[in-house]
Amino acid sequence: MVDRPVAEGRVRLADPDDEEVAEWRRVIDYAKRHGLEPQGRRIEKARFGTRGLEMFLTEGPHPNSLRSLHPAVAALRDDNGQLVIPPALRRRSLLLQALAAEAVRRGHEVRQGRSYYSRREGGVDVVVHDFACTITVRQEFPQSTNPERSARLVVELDPGRSGRPGR
């Protein structure tokens, strides 16, 4: 089953039944876990239409892969003076890796974030056409005793000249 997307590049199932969808998902997940994807490429799956399923090959590692962190994200991960938040939230905050990977894929520069107002936040700078934008992540309600509230993260774009942060 893995050979088919590799050989054809794209496989579309117009109206698969639930068993067929489950089998394809299991096979693709197995291939990903056991390194059976072609070197430098990965198999992705996505819905198309109302009931269709599509599998295709795409270049590079998955943007959410934590195996090869962008150096700016790795520096943030390794800095004990930033993102001083519970470990589970700290791991989730590495969603910055997906943002960094996509920015690099689009040809933009990503660099280590500047110092922050609070030790509870951290981030990266994305440079687009000589304009640097800081993207930070922090725990929204660190003092809350409500587990749901204290588990919330905030991702924020630096307000820059507008004065209005993007949250």
Side-chain angles (χ1 to χ4, degrees):
M1 286 180 105
V2 173
D3 292 336
R4 189 168 169 202
V6 171
E8 298 174 27
R10 186 172 298 272
V11 176
R12 282 187 165 182
L13 307 172
D15 191 21
D17 61 33
D18 290 341
E19 280 186 40
E20 191 174 13
V21 169
E23 181 63 18
W24 272 103
R25 288 181 186 267
R26 276 192 298 273
V27 167
I28 290 170
D29 290 342
Y30 180 88
K32 287 179 177 186
R33 275 193 315 276
H34 293 86
L36 301 175
E37 297 167 297
Q39 184 68 29
R41 301 179 85 189
R42 67 181 190 277
I43 301 171
E44 289 291 326
K45 56 189 179 285
R47 288 255 180 221
F48 82 93
T50 55
R51 287 200 31 89
L53 181 67
E54 178 178 49
M55 285 76 57
F56 54 93
L57 289 178
T58 189
E59 299 292 322
H62 193 279
N64 293 337
S65 171
L66 295 181
R67 290 186 188 123
S68 56
L69 289 176
H70 186 280
V73 177
L76 178 62
R77 177 199 61 199
D78 298 338
D79 186 345
N80 291 330
Q82 288 182 319
L83 280 174
V84 181
I85 59 179
L89 292 181
R90 191 172 167 87
R91 280 190 302 277
R92 283 181 38 216
S93 70
L94 293 180
L95 65 90
L96 290 170
Q97 172 60 24
L99 295 171
E102 182 60 18
V104 168
R105 188 188 72 76
R106 292 178 183 221
H108 306 305
E109 178 187 358
V110 177
R111 56 187 183 210
Q112 196 168 350
R114 55 186 175 205
S115 30
Y116 300 100
Y117 174 74
S118 166
R119 289 178 34 137
R120 293 182 187 269
E121 63 185 41
V124 296
D125 291 345
V126 177
V127 182
V128 179
H129 302 298
D130 296 326
F131 177 79
C133 177
T134 300
I135 303 170
T136 59
V137 64
R138 64 181 171 81
Q139 186 177 10
E140 186 171 24
F141 301 108
Q143 305 301 325
S144 177
T145 57
N146 178 326
E148 188 175 309
R149 280 180 58 100
S150 66
R152 290 185 191 165
L153 289 177
V154 173
V155 177
E156 195 167 63
L157 298 175
D158 180 33
R161 291 183 229 154
S162 74
R164 297 182 333 205
R167 212 170 172 184

